[in-house]
Amino acid sequence: MKGFFKLVVQSAVLGSVLTSVALAQNSTQARIATTTCSQLQSSLGSVIVQTTSGPDYTLGANSAWSSFNTEPNFQPTCIVFANSTEHVQVAMKAIYKNQANYAVQAGGHSGMPGWNNVQDGVLISFKNMNVTTYNATTDTITMQPGIKWGNASGILEPFGVSPVGGRYADVGTGLLLGGGLSFLSPAFGYACDTFVSLDVVLVNGTLVTATVDNEYADLFKALKGGASRFGIYPNSSSIALLEAISEFAFNASDTNGVTALAWQTTPNATTGGINIVAEAFFFYNGTEEMFNKTFASFLAIPFAKASLNRQSYIDMVDLLSEPRELGDTFINSVLVGSPSQTPTAVAPYVETFQLFNEFSATYLPSGDINYLFLLITPVLPSQIAYGYERGGNAIQPPVGKGGYNVFCFQVALNEGINVTPPALQAGREVFLKDVPNTPGFPLFISEIDATQNAYATYGDFEFVKKTYAKYDPTRFNVRHTVGPVGL
Ligand SMILES: Cc1cc2nc3c(=O)[nH]c(=O)nc-3n(C[C@H](O)[C@H](O)[C@H](O)COP(=O)(O)OP(=O)(O)OC[C@H]3O[C@@H](n4cnc5c(N)ncnc54)[C@H](O)[C@@H]3O)c2cc1C
Ligand SMILES: *[C@@H]1O[C@H](CO)[C@@H](O)[C@H](O)[C@H]1NC(C)=O
Ligand SMILES: *[C@@H]1O[C@H](CO)[C@@H](O)[C@H](O)[C@H]1NC(C)=O
Ligand SMILES: *[C@@H]1O[C@H](CO)[C@@H](O)[C@H](O)[C@H]1NC(C)=O
Ligand SMILES: *[C@@H]1O[C@H](CO)[C@@H](O)[C@H](O)[C@H]1NC(C)=O
Ligand SMILES: *[C@@H]1O[C@H](CO)[C@@H](O)[C@H](O)[C@H]1NC(C)=O
Ligand SMILES: *[C@@H]1O[C@H](CO)[C@@H](O)[C@H](O)[C@H]1NC(C)=O
Ligand SMILES: *[C@@H]1O[C@H](CO)[C@@H](O)[C@H](O)[C@H]1NC(C)=O
Ligand SMILES: *[C@@H]1O[C@H](CO)[C@@H](O)[C@H](O)[C@H]1NC(C)=O
Ligand SMILES: *[C@@H]1O[C@H](CO)[C@@H](O)[C@H](O)[C@H]1NC(C)=O
Ligand SMILES: *[C@@H]1O[C@H](CO)[C@@H](O)[C@H](O)[C@H]1NC(C)=O
Ligand SMILES: *[C@@H]1O[C@H](CO)[C@@H](O)[C@H](O)[C@H]1NC(C)=O
């Protein structure tokens, strides 16, 4: 069952309209933050606005999933635990007026350093704004930004409704701002394509409600940043899996299902070598017969172990779980699908996989790495079409060229390592330079490296830039909070 979103977002910060350069961190900014925090404590009280001595401060400062974004790397001057849209407005008005640095945190899952926490600035935490309701008359879900997808799915299940949301229970609503890749995307588009209306707080504290056809329609568009199983495959099946997913993305026509493939490498302490596992997730809402047909090419590949029992959507939305409290970084790349499995067509897929293997062989022995991960998510032609049918989104992938695959390469460091060691960083830069990309297809902004300009790969970069300039004419957001580069 579907259900569309009405979401309260705090903005000009949002995935799509959000941007960044490194913040000027100096004693001036520290002083401005202190002033802003004491003003906010006077107006909102010391339960909503907490400094280091507040009872929830430590929890709030350490809620990010990646340890790169927690203490000691970031210690916000104060945390605004907003409990209403008005609190967000009051906070943004003061931040804007004083020219303070700030960050916003919803589910805390962003792996990008500084995107969801701040030093010498104000952190707006949505932890306590998590009301989620369903209106059957309008078939609309209303979510506050602090809810996580697992909890939202749990609240909505009794109504027979599933949100088009994350594949991992712990992820939050920031997913929508990056577009959002869901198991339900083949039928309902990017998660953001299901927006009905957005309550947006602009950088200066003004609240606007944006819909597909009101005076904020441009902002609305710009902000749009079963029977299911999974199997574990031996590494000897890897190339066949790459061939299958390349073809699947190109033109899979059944909108009831989608797959995702993931390789994980870890150091093997006993042998000094490398462990590698390939996992495939098959989400399907329909009969076993159709499941067999849609995923036939994957099911024909020899697997080591498969869970063939049916799983509910709720179970599926926690399949991509990964440990918290490690330092994480990402690199994103995209490859168009291919109508055939010829060696030429899949060569860039194999090349990407080999770069992953070479990186594993070179850097896993360093002892700094907990695991390396390569995740491939297909974006089907039906998902692309759905977005255009509903008024378009910021991403605007090409039409008529087939679907594409999103590759996410992730490095998860061992606990306690707060900075990527230089040699490893050099290796990441080489990976980024060498990894193949299909020009004209959009990068997935939620999982990019800090230097990747995803906006420039969107179908209409000028539209995104123009809309950003209209709603944040002084470029306050770019100057005072950290996010993707490019605007
Ligand atoms: C293990 C794992 C699994 C994932 N699975 C998926 C998946 O299945 N599909 C998918 O699409 N993505 C997935 N992602 C990526 C995920 O969508 C992004 O990391 C997303 O940004 C997380 O949102 P959040 O609310 O949890 O994180 P946060 O870090 O709180 O937010 C992410 C960014 O958005 C900003 N932000 C959040 N809320 C607001 C708001 N209301 N107003 C303004 N700015 C805001 C934050 O400042 C931050 O820059 C996954 C990531 C990980 C690490
Ligand atoms: C699953 O399919 C049924 C009927 O085919 C449909 O009513 C329901 O909305 C679908 N569920 C999801 C989660 O898409
Ligand atoms: C410190 O920050 C202020 C405010 O952002 C800025 O105007 C100033 O140039 C910065 N000073 C230094 C030395 O970077
Ligand atoms: C909502 O937030 C409150 C306060 O942080 C928490 O106690 C509660 O469990 C949350 N509810 C859900 C559904 O996540
Ligand atoms: C948030 O505000 C609502 C009333 O608007 C209140 O019921 C709830 O307890 C508050 N939650 C927190 C965590 O302060
Ligand atoms: C559901 O939406 C309808 C139409 O907007 C509205 O009249 C009704 O009050 C809403 N119901 C709830 C429970 O909010
Ligand atoms: C939210 O989900 C987590 C697991 O993801 C669970 O531990 C917690 O109990 C849930 N909270 C509520 C209020 O449902
Ligand atoms: C996995 O397979 C690839 C070839 O497909 C190979 O290059 C790589 O070394 C293998 N990895 C491990 C850890 O065996
Ligand atoms: C994709 O299209 C090719 C021919 O264009 C066809 O042979 C193949 O079966 C199609 N694959 C799917 C999954 O629909
Ligand atoms: C290390 O590798 C050996 C040989 O491949 C394997 O049997 C063992 O399970 C691996 N150890 C771990 C901890 O994965
Ligand atoms: C689906 O395929 C499995 C083998 O992978 C087979 O056991 C099962 O009978 C098939 N189901 C249908 C309905 O064709
Ligand atoms: C806030 O910014 C918007 C967009 O630039 C502008 O239209 C509005 O007038 C501003 N509001 C105030 C109170 O300055």
Side-chain angles (χ1 to χ4, degrees), residues 59 81 126-132 146-148 150-152 155:
L59 179 66
F81 291 98
F126 282 123
K127 219 175 217 333
N128 295 339
M129 271 178 85
N130 59 9
V131 176
T132 301
I147 192 77
K148 296 194 171 196
N151 296 118
I155 289 168

Side-chain angles (χ1 to χ4, degrees), residues 299-311:
L299 298 174
I301 297 168
F303 54 81
K305 167 165 110 189
S307 158
L308 294 177
N309 52 320
R310 295 170 74 96
Q311 300 198 18

Side-chain angles (χ1 to χ4, degrees), residues 47-374:
V47 174
I48 300 295
V49 182
Q50 300 190 14
T51 54
T52 49
S53 58
D56 305 317
Y57 178 90
T58 303
L59 179 66
N62 292 288
S63 290
W65 169 77
S66 170
S67 66
F68 283 173
N69 282 341
T70 62
E71 294 182 298
N73 285 7
F74 292 97
Q75 190 167 56
T77 307
C78 63
I79 305 177
V80 178
F81 291 98
N83 190 16
S84 68
T85 305
E86 291 71 33
H87 292 163
V88 178
Q89 288 184 264
V90 170
M92 282 314 299
K93 271 187 190 132
I95 289 167
Y96 186 77
K97 186 157 161 283
N98 295 325
Q99 304 275 302
N101 287 343
Y102 71 105
V104 176
Q105 189 173 121
H109 243 275
S110 175
M112 268 54 75
W115 283 26
N116 60 23
N117 208 345
V118 64
Q119 180 67 35
D120 297 328
V122 180
L123 173 63
I124 297 177
S125 167
F126 282 123
K127 219 175 217 333
N128 295 339
M129 271 178 85
N130 59 9
V131 176
T132 301
T133 56
Y134 178 66
N135 185 325
T137 314
T138 53
D139 190 21
T140 303
I141 296 166
T142 301
M143 298 172 89
Q144 287 188 322
I147 192 77
K148 296 194 171 196
W149 293 107
N151 296 118
S153 300
I155 289 168
L156 296 167
E157 192 186 32
F159 300 101
V161 169
S162 315
V164 180
R167 296 167 297 179
Y168 176 18
D170 192 53
V171 171
T173 57
L175 171 141
L176 296 162
L177 306 177
L181 301 174
S182 168
F183 286 127
L184 302 177
S185 287
F188 301 111
Y190 294 93
C192 68
D193 290 329
T194 60
F195 285 161
V196 169
S197 115
L198 300 170
D199 289 348
V200 184
V201 176
L202 301 178
V203 280
N204 60 9
T206 300
L207 173 68
V208 303
T209 296
T211 68
V212 70
D213 53 10
N214 73 3
E215 67 172 302
Y216 303 109
D218 53 354
L219 181 62
F220 183 74
K221 179 169 168 180
L223 288 179
K224 291 190 202 178
S228 306
R229 292 148 205 207
F230 72 98
I232 294 176
Y233 290 80
N235 192 32
S236 52
S237 290
S238 293
I239 304 298
L241 287 168
L242 292 165
E243 289 165 355
I245 204 159
S246 167
E247 191 191 16
F248 185 85
F250 183 75
N251 62 346
S253 56
D254 183 348
T255 58
N256 289 321
V258 76
T259 183
L261 298 181
W263 282 264
Q264 187 181 56
T265 53
T266 47
N268 183 316
T270 320
T271 62
I274 294 167
N275 298 330
I276 184 166
V277 272
E279 282 180 290
F281 305 94
F282 303 111
F283 173 78
Y284 200 74
N285 178 26
T287 64
E288 184 173 291
E289 192 182 355
M290 282 306 295
F291 174 91
N292 281 358
K293 192 161 168 245
T294 294
F295 298 118
S297 55
F298 296 93
L299 298 174
I301 297 168
F303 54 81
K305 167 165 110 189
S307 158
L308 294 177
N309 52 320
R310 295 170 74 96
Q311 300 198 18
S312 70
Y313 183 64
I314 294 261
D315 294 333
M316 286 299 285
V317 299
D318 207 17
L319 279 184
L320 288 185
S321 70
E322 291 181 47
R324 298 180 71 96
E325 289 163 16
L326 304 178
D328 293 273
T329 52
F330 296 87
I331 288 173
N332 195 252
S333 59
V334 286
L335 291 175
V336 67
S338 153
S340 68
Q341 299 192 4
T342 61
T344 323
V346 295
Y349 285 73
V350 175
E351 191 184 334
T352 304
F353 181 61
Q354 288 306 359
L355 284 172
F356 173 73
N357 282 313
E358 284 158 24
F359 193 99
S360 301
T362 308
Y363 294 101
L364 279 179
S366 74
D368 294 330
I369 296 169
N370 196 291
Y371 64 89
L372 299 171
F373 202 55
L374 185 69

